[in-house]
Amino acid sequence: QVQLVESGGGLVQAGGSLTLSCAASGRTFSNNAMGWFRQAPGKERLFVAAISWSGGSTYYADSVKGRFTCSRDNAKNSVYLQMNNLKPEDTAVYYCAAHYSGSYYYPSAYNYWGQGTQVTVSS
């Protein structure tokens, strides 16, 4: 059974930091690009970041560029999202996903998803 499990979410004050982890099991994703998305209540799921299979290329939404860093450890079948200088508007459920085909920026390009982890940033 293929699973992606996110962890590391929580409540943090504005300006604080969190690191999200996504651990994969059931198969290796070392040949897949991986992505992070977030979804606030009542809103659509939006792209946050993506990383190529090798980790050599990363992509970020403009809203998080310079504050968030995506990395991966293929030996651990894991992907990470370091989030610094968090803002209240970063509050959302964060999902990791394995890329299948198409643009990294759209949820439809991913075929495996985690269950999400809540990030809440207080002002």
Side-chain angles (χ1 to χ4, degrees):
Q1 181 181 0
V2 177
Q3 278 192 313
L4 298 176
V5 179
E6 302 95 336
S7 61
L11 174 63
V12 64
Q13 289 188 328
S17 299
L18 283 174
T19 299
L20 305 185
S21 299
C22 173
S25 62
R27 57 158 283 187
T28 179
F29 288 99
S30 59
N31 293 323
N32 293 75
M34 300 291 291
W36 287 95
F37 287 76
R38 66 187 181 187
Q39 189 167 20
K43 301 288 184 64
E44 62 183 327
R45 192 169 295 189
L46 297 176
F47 172 79
V48 175
I51 187 166
S52 63
W53 68 271
S54 66
S57 296
T58 51
Y59 310 84
Y60 298 98
D62 287 343
S63 59
V64 308
K65 206 170 289 184
R67 300 188 298 123
F68 290 13
T69 302
C70 186
S71 62
R72 67 189 297 162
D73 184 340
N74 285 339
K76 296 182 178 179
N77 219 16
S78 294
V79 183
Y80 309 96
L81 187 67
Q82 172 69 42
M83 306 186 295
N84 297 326
N85 190 22
L86 282 160
K87 304 176 181 181
E89 52 264 42
D90 294 320
T91 295
V93 177
Y94 283 71
Y95 300 89
C96 73
H99 180 259
Y100 173 69
S101 179
S103 170
Y104 292 161
Y105 297 89
Y106 298 102
S108 59
Y110 298 78
N111 61 343
Y112 290 105
W113 291 84
Q115 84 290 346
T117 185
Q118 176 70 47
V119 171
T120 303
V121 184
S122 63
S123 57

